[in-house]
Amino acid sequence: MTNIKEDVKAYIIEEFAYEADVGPLTDSTPLLSSGIIDSISALQLVEFLENKYSFSFQAHEVDQDNLDNLALIEAFVMSKVSAK
Amino acid sequence: MNGLAGNFAETALRYPNQVALESKAEGKLTYRELDLRVCEFSDVLEGYGVTAGDRVALVLPKSQFKVVVILSVIRLGAAYVPLDVAAPFSRNKFVIAEAKPKLILAAPGLLGTLDGVWDEEPIIPDEGEEFVALIAADDAARDELPGLAYILFTSGSTGKPKGVAISEAAALAFVSWASAEFNLRPTDSVASVVPFHFDLSIFDLHATLTSGARLVLISEAATKNPRLLAGELAELGASFLYTTPTSLRLLVSHGKCETHNLTGLRQVLYAGEAYPVADLVRLMETLPEAEIANLYGPTETNVVTFHRLRGVPEPGQQKNIPIGRACPYARLLLWDDGPVNQVPDAEGELLVAGDSLAVGYLDPEATSRAFISYNDERFYHTGDLVWVDDQENLIFLGRKDRMVKRRGYRIEPAEIEAALQLHPAVSRAAITTGTAKDGGVKLVAHYEVTSGEPAPTKLDLMAYCREHLPLYMVPDGFRQEVELPRTSSQKTDYATLQAAVDEE
C-alpha cells in the first residue's frame, strides 16, 4: 500500500505505452486533462485500481478530480481504502 | 402547419398528459407543457425578428430548454444550427461565419466562447432566463422557402468543416419511416445520448416527439461515464437507445450492466461506424431482451439502409455485419466509373438518391463535387465502397478517400494536418491510421519540424491539437520525421508512410 504512486506509474507506462520523450511522468503530470490518458483508458485505470486495492468506485467518483495525476490518484485510493 | 412542427403540435394535442421530456436534473415535462413552452418561445424568437428562411445558431448545453428552442425554430420555418459547445473556439468561429445565422442563442456561461466571433452587443433578457441572444446586423443568410430544418457540420477534406443543409421534407422522410419501422409507441422512452449537433439526434428529437413517446435526456456526465449511463438508462426506464458502437461497447465493457435492470430496453439502434462482431455478441449477451438493428447513412443523406440482426452472429464466420438494404425512400446506385448492376458479388461506390437527401453544402462548390445528376435524379457520392452479398445485403468495405470514422464521427485527416501545420514549429504534417487497443481507430501524426524552430514535445502538440480540434480528432501518437516521404509530384506519399506504420 505504501507505493501506490509507483504502482500506478508502472501500470500507466506499461499499459498505455507512455513514451519517455513525452516528458517525465511526475506526481503532478496531468493525465486526463492533457490527453495522455483518454476517457476509455481512464475506465481501464479505474478497473485496475479497483482490483489492485480491493475497493469500488461509486459511479460519480469516476472523475477527473480523482484521477488527473498520480498524487490525486494516491489520495483518492488512500481515502477509499481507509474508509473500508 | 405541416411537417415536423405540425406533427409535434398534433401529437401534443393527442397526448397532452403524457410525459414528453424527462431528465434527472430537470424532472418531467408533459406534452401540453412542452407545447405551451414552444408556443411562448416562438413568440420570443419572432420578437428578435426570426422568420421563415432564417438560421438560428445554438450555443447551449443539452437541456429541456434546448429542445424547446429547437422545436420553436422549426415552428417558425427557420433552421437550427447546433454548435458543439465543447469544440475549440476557432472551429466554432468558422462554423458561425459559414452559417451566417440571423440570431445566436447562447447559454450565459458559454458567452465567453463567442468572444470575437460576433461584434454585436448581446441582448440579455430578464433575469433567470437560460440564454442571451445575439442578433446579426445585416449579413445573415436567408434560405429560399420552404427553408431548411437544420444545418449540421462535418469534417471537410479542405481542412475546414462543411455545413450540411437539410430540409424539413428530408428530415420527415427519415423520421416517419423510422417511427413506423421500429414501432415507436407512446409507451416508449427514448434515451437521448448523442449530442444534438450529431445527426443521430434527429431520431431522438423528432421521431420521439412526433410519436407521443418520452424523450429522456441523459446527463452530460453519463454520456462520458458508462457506469452512470447504465444507471440512468435503468432509472429512467429507457426502452429505445440509438447511439454509436463506441458508446455501446463502453456500456457493455465498463458499465457494470449486470448491477442494473436493463430489461426494459427493447430496441437498440446503432450507426456511425462498424460494430466488431465479437463485441456485438457481447452486446447481445448483455441485453438479451433487446432487438438490435444497424442503420447506415452519412449526414448528407441521413439513414438510407438498415439491417435487423436476427440471432447471434458467429464470430469469425462473418467479416462485417451488413449495412443491409435500402430504406423505402432511398434509391441506391453502385458506381465504378459508371453504374454497376446491384447483384450478388457486385462491388462499387455507393451513390444515393431520394427524399432524405440534403439540399447540399453551404459551400456550392463542395455541393457540385459531391452531388451529381444521373438519369434526371440527384445522387450523392457517399465515398463508401460496398459489396453485395448473396442475400442482396450491402456490406461496407471501406472508404474511397482517406476519411475515417472514429467514435462515430467522420474525420478527414486533412483537417488535422491543416491544424497541425498552423503550429509555428511544424512545417508539414501527415496522418496515418491504425487499430487502437480497444479496436477503434488510432490516429498517428507524423511531422517535420520547421528549420530554426526548437522541436515541440509531444505534450505540446497534444495540447495544441486539443485547443484547435474537437477531442475525437486529437491524434493518439505524434512522431517527428526528418522528412516525410513524397510522391514524384511532390505530394505526401501516404501509401509509403502508412505501409511503414503497418509493418511495425
Side-chain angles (χ1 to χ4, degrees):
Chain A
M1 194 55 66
T2 49
N3 257 328
I4 296 175
K5 281 192 288 210
E6 285 307 311
D7 289 349
V8 175
K9 188 171 170 176
Y11 175 78
I12 289 171
I13 289 170
E14 169 67 25
E15 198 62 22
F16 306 133
Y18 183 86
E19 290 166 57
D21 55 349
V22 174
L25 186 53
T26 67
D27 289 2
S28 60
T29 305
L31 297 170
L32 273 66
S33 56
S34 66
I36 289 173
I37 294 184
D38 65 15
S39 54
I40 296 165
S41 305
L43 295 164
Q44 283 178 33
L45 176 63
V46 163
E47 272 159 32
F48 165 79
L49 294 171
E50 287 183 336
N51 294 333
K52 175 111 187 159
Y53 303 111
S54 318
F55 71 95
S56 292
F57 277 77
Q58 300 282 311
H60 65 86
E61 290 169 343
V62 181
D63 190 276
Q64 196 165 302
D65 293 348
N66 293 327
L67 296 167
D68 203 28
N69 62 45
L70 293 173
L72 286 171
I73 293 171
E74 180 180 65
F76 180 72
V77 171
M78 298 284 275
S79 74
K80 291 295 280 190
V81 171
S82 63
K84 271 203 298 191
Chain B
M1 207 172 17
N2 290 314
L4 295 172
N7 290 358
F8 165 71
E10 266 172 38
T11 308
L13 275 178
R14 206 164 151 202
Y15 305 104
N17 300 318
Q18 291 264 22
V19 174
L21 281 181
E22 183 174 3
S23 64
K24 270 191 85 170
E26 298 179 283
K28 296 175 186 172
L29 212 58
T30 64
Y31 270 91
R32 181 189 287 129
E33 290 164 336
L34 178 60
D35 189 41
L36 190 66
R37 286 191 62 184
V38 169
C39 292
E40 285 171 359
F41 200 75
S42 301
D43 291 344
V44 172
L45 287 176
E46 273 186 317
Y48 289 129
V50 175
T51 57
D54 282 332
R55 301 167 181 175
V56 179
L58 313 181
V59 187
L60 300 166
K62 195 189 263 192
S63 65
Q64 295 187 346
F65 173 65
K66 192 172 190 175
V67 177
V68 170
V69 172
I70 286 172
L71 293 175
S72 305
V73 169
I74 290 181
R75 188 184 155 94
L76 294 176
Y80 69 95
V81 187
L83 270 71
D84 177 359
V85 297
F89 167 77
S90 56
R91 189 179 169 93
N92 280 342
K93 185 174 176 176
F94 176 83
V95 165
I96 286 183
E98 277 287 290
K100 296 190 175 63
K102 166 85 179 177
L103 176 75
I104 303 177
L105 292 172
L110 294 169
L111 199 57
T113 66
L114 295 174
D115 267 352
V117 172
W118 205 252
D119 299 330
E120 307 305 314
E121 274 299 302
I123 298 172
I124 319 260
D126 296 342
E127 219 171 303
E129 288 289 356
E130 293 175 67
F131 69 97
V132 292
L134 300 111
I135 300 179
D138 45 24
D139 72 334
R142 283 192 56 80
D143 296 300
E144 275 177 45
L145 299 180
L148 307 171
Y150 53 89
I151 299 170
L152 301 178
F153 280 78
T154 67
S155 183
S157 57
T158 54
K160 294 290 182 191
K162 289 190 288 195
V164 184
I166 315 276
S167 71
E168 190 168 15
L172 204 56
F174 161 70
V175 164
S176 312
W177 167 77
S179 311
E181 178 66 35
F182 298 106
N183 192 18
L184 190 53
R185 295 176 296 230
T187 46
D188 278 310
S189 289
V190 178
S192 162
V193 174
V194 301
F196 291 161
H197 61 266
F198 192 24
D199 73 338
L200 271 60
S201 68
I202 300 308
F203 175 86
D204 300 344
L205 280 164
H206 303 298
T208 307
L209 295 175
T210 53
S211 300
R214 174 184 310 211
L215 184 65
V216 169
L217 301 179
I218 298 297
S219 71
E220 176 85 23
T223 61
K224 292 181 186 145
N225 179 343
R227 290 187 183 186
L228 285 175
L229 178 59
E232 281 193 27
L233 290 173
E235 201 177 317
L236 297 167
S239 64
F240 250 79
L241 176 59
Y242 180 24
T243 185
T244 59
T246 298
S247 153
L248 289 168
R249 286 162 62 202
L250 286 175
L251 179 68
V252 169
S253 60
H254 298 287
K256 297 205 164 178
C257 290
E258 68 283 1
T259 62
H260 299 283
N261 181 3
L262 292 175
T263 52
L265 258 181
R266 68 171 185 92
Q267 182 74 60
V268 175
L269 306 173
Y270 73 84
E273 58 192 332
Y275 210 130
V277 176
D279 291 331
L280 196 54
V281 172
R282 290 187 64 197
L283 174 70
M284 292 174 155
E285 287 165 357
T286 308
L287 302 172
E289 331 276 334
E291 286 190 25
I292 298 171
N294 180 14
L295 308 188
Y296 160 86
T299 304
E300 289 85 343
T301 67
N302 211 327
V303 172
V304 285
T305 74
F306 72 110
H307 176 74
R308 288 171 180 274
L309 283 120
R310 311 226 183 257
V312 179
E314 274 182 47
Q317 193 193 45
Q318 207 172 14
K319 240 181 105 183
N320 262 325
I321 302 297
I323 58 172
R325 299 186 191 182
C327 299
Y329 50 79
R331 271 173 304 289
L332 310 180
L333 188 61
L334 292 196
W335 195 267
D336 185 7
D337 284 331
V340 175
N341 267 345
Q342 207 175 310
V343 294
D345 211 29
E347 196 181 308
E349 185 195 348
L350 184 63
L351 271 61
V352 180
D355 294 343
S356 67
L357 234 60
V359 172
Y361 299 111
L362 296 184
D363 172 7
E365 262 180 53
T367 306
S368 58
R369 275 195 301 271
F371 292 82
I372 59 144
S373 178
Y374 176 76
N375 275 354
D376 291 333
E377 242 189 323
R378 214 165 58 95
F379 279 87
Y380 171 69
H381 272 278
T382 65
D384 287 338
L385 298 173
V386 297
W387 173 77
V388 185
D389 76 3
D390 54 10
Q391 310 285 309
E392 294 189 23
N393 281 312
L394 296 178
I395 312 271
F396 173 76
L397 294 177
R399 287 288 302 174
K400 255 188 90 178
D401 53 21
R402 298 177 57 220
M403 195 179 89
V404 291
K405 283 251 187 160
R406 192 179 188 216
R407 297 169 202 166
Y409 286 93
R410 265 160 59 165
I411 299 176
E412 289 283 1
E415 194 176 342
I416 307 174
E417 290 160 2
L420 267 170
Q421 281 162 189
L422 291 176
H423 189 289
V426 174
S427 56
R428 291 179 70 216
I431 301 291
T432 58
T433 57
T435 307
K437 253 178 113 180
D438 66 358
V441 171
K442 177 179 169 179
L443 299 171
V444 179
H446 306 256
Y447 59 95
E448 289 175 15
V449 176
T450 313
S451 59
E453 292 282 336
T457 68
K458 292 183 183 183
L459 215 51
D460 286 343
L461 290 177
M462 201 175 264
Y464 183 82
C465 285
R466 287 166 77 95
E467 241 171 72
H468 292 89
L469 294 167
L471 256 190
Y472 56 86
M473 283 194 174
V474 176
D476 304 286
F478 293 87
R479 289 191 196 180
Q480 186 180 333
E481 311 277 352
V482 179
E483 204 180 350
L484 289 166
R486 292 177 198 234
T487 62
S488 53
S489 57
Q490 292 304 302
K491 290 181 176 167
T492 302
D493 184 353
Y494 290 104
T496 302
L497 194 60
Q498 185 70 52
V501 172
D502 291 345
E503 244 176 52
E504 288 167 15

